[in-house]
Amino acid sequence: MTSPAPIAEPRETPRPDPAAVPALSIDGVSHSYGPRRALMDVSFKVQPASFTALLGLNGAGKSTLFSLVTRLFGIQSGGVGIFGHDISSSSGEALRLLGVVFQPRTLDLDLSLTQNLLYHAALHGIGRREATTRSAELLGRIGLSERAGSKVRDLSGGQMRRLEIARALLHRPRLLLLDEPTVGLDVKARADIISHVRQLVTEQGIGVLWATHLFDEIMSSDDLVVLHQGKVLAQGPMSRVITDAGAQDVNTAFMRLTGAQTMPGGGA
Amino acid sequence: MSSITTSDAPRGFSASEYMTCLTGIVWREGLRFLHQRERFVSALVRPLVWLFIFAAGFRQVLGISIIPPYETYILYEVFIAPGLMAMIQLFNGMQSSLSMVYDREMGNMRTLLVSPLPRGFLLFCKLLAGTAVSLLQVYAFLLIAWFWDITPPLSGYLTVLPALILSGLMLGSLGMLISSGIKQLENFAGVMNFVIFPMFFASSALYPVWRVQEGSPYLYYLCAANPFTHAVELIRFALYGQVNWISLAVVAACTIVFMIGAILAYDPSRGWRGADLREAKDEGSDPGCHGNCAVLHGRARPIRAILTGPTPRPRCRRFRWRPSGPARRSTRPRSR
């Protein structure tokens, strides 16, 4: 993270150094559903080869943010860039570099693992032969090679998630978005997925934005963005966020940060 | 895995990438269809009931004179077959489009729409895939109808194909346009009442329009202006190796207008918040619940209560409420 300024400080707008274009830059994004404001002037960056945790309770605006970054919703105000490509004006180039794992499962349960992957490859214009090679390779990496032909329905929750991550990597994106990917998984499956994704960051230099409300998924070396009721309350390396909040751990820091903003009874 | 070298210059998409995407979407829709036997059966039973029961009963009542494209006197069954083919496409188009706009397929739509290809193209592919599914249904119907003495010339089975593709696209995009544009029609019952039945009955599917004209000139005008009439006529003529140029022009024009309108009106945030609430509680899509059931999941609205009476019984676990207690009618608080 270059200059992780707290949101209260005036935001500087540095000329993006072409060598260090952020993987994802969210710039002053606001979004409302009718009268309800879901996001208010949200700004942060995800650097390549970094693990950024987007921490927020349910309803903080995480999913809305994901829908904006993936072009599902139109940007109402502000801007979203993926490696410098604006999601509104050059969405094709931007989405090419983006892999995403949505919170609800989006696999075809009646199709086989390979079929699911091939469909995704086709959506990215990857020809059949190349797609078959890549699917086999990715299935091997997530340890599901021998299940390639079976229906997704027969997989466990953790295996489905791993498959979804593999699918998101099929077109070789350089930014990976995961929206609460470990919800509903047991301890082991959770640990597997977290370590798998962290491996992607260190080994392949993929920038990861990991939305979660589970504090134990974050490590001290991670960048942290605390989103609460549509606003960014703090951002920066985790250790700094904790110190700035005058807390000992991320849990307390989060409670302190959101406590001032939370309506009585509306908190965690 | 790829290195991190940047090639940030926009490179656009090649024709082969578009083609790969198109075939991939149609292929997946076909695979899914093969797994949904109930949907297939119900899509077939509907026209067959009309053919075996309605037409059999009605043939003594309605005499059909020789009108083009027919060259001899024909049985009533033969006359309504093209109308029933169009009906299959009408139902299929409305169902698949409604599920595209509303929540059931939202997960699949998310997967589709994060493809880097232009959204309009993706939606077009999806409509084409829906049409391909309707083709399978129509040909299955034709196969059964053949044993019921509906025997168009063999070449007709081929010449009808382009007509079916065009009409399928028209009805699919109409469905998408309607479900994007009219909020009250977010469940299938509403679409049945306000779209499918009026379109089907005010058309040449069940009776030649000249007979309608004898009875009521206004209804005749309505039929003549109904795009569905032209879809039926296009199919009818094509099935006998002929082209009805007026119908072709009308259907083609309507297809273009509806499709552009549907693509412009498509808004994924529609039906979204409800979908998120439901999906958050769900483990993936429901095994026992396919396209047919899908559209029943719209939130109950007063308009449905008025028009369709009792609400459909829950058929899958995604249905979060269920009728309970002695008063079967009210399932949600009425006060608004």
Side-chain angles (χ1 to χ4, degrees), chain A residues 67 70-73 85 92-93 95-96 102 104-106 108-110 119 122-126 128 153 204, chain B residues 1 4 8 10-13 17 20-21 28 35 107 110-111 113 115-117 119 268-269 272 279 283 285 287:
Chain A
S67 299
T70 52
R71 188 188 64 167
L72 283 169
F73 296 177
H85 299 291
E93 299 305 320
L95 288 174
R96 234 200 255 274
F102 288 110
R105 305 244 160 76
T106 54
D108 279 318
L109 296 182
D110 286 317
Y119 171 57
L123 288 178
H124 283 262
I126 300 168
R128 198 50 175 260
R153 187 182 298 288
Q204 295 169 27
Chain B
M1 220 12 111
I4 303 300
D8 279 350
R11 58 183 178 101
F13 297 94
E17 283 177 311
T20 307
C21 180
R28 169 191 170 266
H35 288 290
R110 283 191 221 206
T111 317
L113 293 175
S115 158
L117 289 148
R119 176 173 292 180
S269 64
W272 186 269
E279 279 170 345
E283 298 283 317
S285 48

Side-chain angles (χ1 to χ4, degrees), chain A residues 25-75:
Chain A
S25 64
I26 312 267
D27 194 20
V29 166
S30 301
H31 194 88
S32 36
Y33 299 105
R36 193 170 72 78
R37 301 187 69 192
L39 292 175
M40 280 162 274
D41 196 26
V42 170
S43 301
F44 64 89
K45 287 183 170 53
V46 176
Q47 298 301 336
S50 82
F51 187 101
T52 303
L54 178 65
L55 195 59
L57 303 172
N58 293 332
K62 298 192 296 282
S63 293
T64 305
L65 191 62
F66 271 57
S67 299
L68 291 171
V69 175
T70 52
R71 188 188 64 167
L72 283 169
F73 296 177
I75 306 270

Side-chain angles (χ1 to χ4, degrees), chain A residues 119-141:
Chain A
Y119 171 57
H120 180 82
L123 288 178
H124 283 262
I126 300 168
R128 198 50 175 260
R129 192 174 305 160
E130 173 71 12
T132 316
T133 322
R134 288 194 200 182
S135 318
E137 180 194 323
L138 280 166
L139 283 177
R141 197 170 300 168

Side-chain angles (χ1 to χ4, degrees), chain B residues 276-335:
Chain B
D276 267 356
L277 287 177
R278 258 163 288 215
E279 279 170 345
K281 295 185 168 44
D282 202 90
E283 298 283 317
S285 48
D286 193 274
C289 170
H290 303 301
N292 284 339
C293 185
V295 281
L296 295 174
H297 288 269
R299 278 151 285 162
R301 290 191 164 261
I303 194 163
R304 180 170 77 180
I306 295 161
L307 290 168
T308 62
T311 342
R313 302 233 2 131
R315 284 170 56 190
C316 80
R317 62 192 163 82
R318 199 176 264 209
F319 235 86
R320 280 167 57 219
W321 54 265
R322 53 181 60 246
S324 58
R328 291 204 339 263
R329 288 178 55 94
S330 171
T331 54
R332 340 179 76 198
R334 280 283 161 105
S335 59

